[in-house]
Amino acid sequence: MAESICRTLRDGGLEGEHAPALTIKDTIRCPLGLFVLDHILCQVCSFVLSHRSQSKGIVLVALSRSPIYYEELLKSQGYDVASSSTWIKVVDCYSDPFGWKRKLVENGIVKNLTGGSSITVKLCENVEDLEKLSSYIVELGKEMIGDGKGRFMVAIDSVSEMLRLTSLTSVAVILSNLRSHDNVSCLFWLLHSDLHDNGITAALEYMSSMQASIEPMARLVDEQRGNSGNISWMEQNLRRGKFCVRLKRRNGRVRVMHEELRVEKSGIKFSPVSFEDDLISQSIVPKVQFNLQLSEKERNDRAKVVLPFEHQGNGKNIQIYDGRKPLDAGEEGMKNASERVQAIDSSKGEIIYFRDSDDEMPDSDEDPDDDLDI
């Protein structure tokens, strides 16, 4: 399932349509979004280097981690960082997001502003200016693809950091502009959903064509209640989760898949959800049953209901109890009719029909809905 996401990012979009976009969403109860982001980043790097991707390069916007971290990540996966300038570039919004360190360097208080990363880095000193940030992304992307019609992909390691400094409208504008850019093949970003309102999360999910959410396993939720004070248990099991994916296809259909996610020393691993966890997750959902057929008691009770327009068939004169004075009786008949209504057994029930006017003749076979305009 995670491979299908990477393949969709690899293939990109068709000419004239918006680029595919992926929202990776995690929570405090299952904070594994950064591991998933690293996994997808390494996968798309492999596609780019093997020339199996529509993109010729990757522009990474580093907001929550330094460029040195990503350099070490690529080295650990065996990638040649020395030639990284041809296939990956970083917009550094982490080292000096407000330009304060540059002022310290100018005053001689700080000697080195950057850590000397081997990856090509473009320093962004004003993260709040998303228009300039967008221009940096496009500039670095065009440096890799040249003047041709090539494309590049964009990765943002934390949209939550952008939302902390700017408004949702500004973030939505930059994401929408990047999706519709002719040279952008795909985008993916990470969102910590617990830090934002449901409306913000829903807006970002609406803008994306794929949503990947990391949720705690059902069994771990039950076990956590009895082991909330056990730190070693929490450290061990918070590295597992349920990876749920929603893919929007071009024909409008939505495909929903889920896998089990494990973070190990060798990297992130995906596996089918175990049968036990599947049963537990199903048991958590409230069961709502709908009886499409009546029981025998319900059928008997329905048969006892007296309808105002049917023949009673009990050998007596047919009377329609409409709550008004009968046409063939005076005050005594009205009194008998009211007594009749009061004497009805509550267990049987009776439907009382009121005629629209006194001009309507009583007819025990008349359906009250016959005079409705259709």
Side-chain angles (χ1 to χ4, degrees), residues 35-262:
F35 295 99
V36 175
L37 179 74
D38 292 346
H39 174 78
I40 294 177
L41 178 62
C42 293
Q43 290 294 317
V44 295
C45 286
S46 174
F47 294 143
V48 171
L49 289 174
S50 60
H51 304 286
R52 292 185 295 154
S53 173
Q54 188 185 63
S55 304
K56 295 183 178 180
I58 305 170
V59 177
L60 173 62
V61 182
L63 288 151
S64 62
R65 295 180 290 190
S66 67
I68 299 178
Y69 170 84
Y70 293 104
E71 179 182 353
E72 296 298 327
L73 174 65
L74 296 177
K75 286 182 179 179
S76 65
Q77 299 296 322
Y79 296 112
D80 184 12
V81 181
S83 62
S84 61
S85 59
T86 59
W87 54 273
I88 185 170
K89 296 180 183 292
V90 178
V91 180
D92 185 7
C93 302
Y94 176 84
S95 300
D96 192 16
F98 301 105
W100 296 342
K101 292 183 179 180
R102 177 178 55 81
K103 296 179 180 179
L104 295 176
V105 172
E106 293 174 355
N107 295 330
I109 301 176
V110 177
K111 295 182 179 180
N112 295 324
L113 184 61
T114 61
S117 174
S118 301
I119 301 177
T120 303
V121 175
K122 180 74 173 181
L123 185 62
C124 179
E125 297 180 344
N126 187 5
V127 181
E128 296 179 347
D129 190 353
L130 295 185
E131 185 176 352
K132 181 176 291 186
L133 175 60
S134 178
S135 65
Y136 287 163
I137 296 173
V138 175
E139 177 184 346
L140 293 179
K142 289 186 176 180
E143 289 179 1
M144 290 184 291
I145 63 177
D147 298 331
K149 295 183 178 180
R151 293 188 176 187
F152 61 92
M153 63 179 65
V154 180
I156 304 175
D157 66 358
S158 180
V159 171
S160 297
E161 291 293 332
M162 300 173 66
L163 291 170
R164 186 171 62 89
L165 302 172
T166 59
S167 64
L168 173 63
T169 303
S170 300
V171 175
V173 168
I174 184 176
L175 294 179
S176 179
N177 291 340
L178 289 174
R179 284 197 67 191
S180 59
H181 198 281
D182 293 337
N183 298 118
V184 175
S185 64
C186 65
L187 296 90
F188 59 96
W189 58 77
L190 174 62
L191 175 70
H192 303 294
S193 59
D194 287 344
L195 303 180
H196 313 287
D197 296 334
N198 294 333
I200 295 178
T201 303
L204 293 176
E205 289 181 345
Y206 179 79
M207 295 182 61
S208 58
S209 57
M210 297 178 288
Q211 298 96 35
S213 59
I214 301 99
E215 303 172 356
M217 300 295 293
R219 181 175 66 248
L220 299 181
V221 174
D222 294 337
E223 293 178 359
Q224 187 177 7
R225 296 171 183 172
N227 296 274
S228 57
N230 192 339
I231 302 300
S232 61
W233 179 91
M234 295 180 66
E235 290 179 351
Q236 179 182 1
N237 290 280
L238 283 180
R239 290 181 172 271
R240 299 174 53 198
K242 188 176 181 180
F243 190 60
C244 304
V245 176
R246 292 173 56 89
L247 298 173
K248 298 179 184 177
R249 299 183 179 276
R250 288 187 175 92
N251 57 6
R253 295 184 178 180
V254 178
R255 183 183 179 187
V256 181
M257 302 174 290
H258 59 272
E259 285 181 337
E260 183 176 350
L261 169 68
R262 291 176 179 269

Side-chain angles (χ1 to χ4, degrees), residues 7-19:
R7 288 195 299 267
T8 303
L9 296 175
R10 176 198 65 187
D11 298 337
L14 299 177
E15 186 176 356
E17 70 177 11
H18 281 70

Side-chain angles (χ1 to χ4, degrees), residues 300-306 340 343-351:
N300 294 334
D301 293 341
R302 184 182 65 176
K304 294 178 182 179
V305 177
V306 179
R340 162 68 176 167
I344 294 175
D345 186 1
S346 60
S347 64
K348 294 174 59 178
E350 181 171 353
I351 297 177

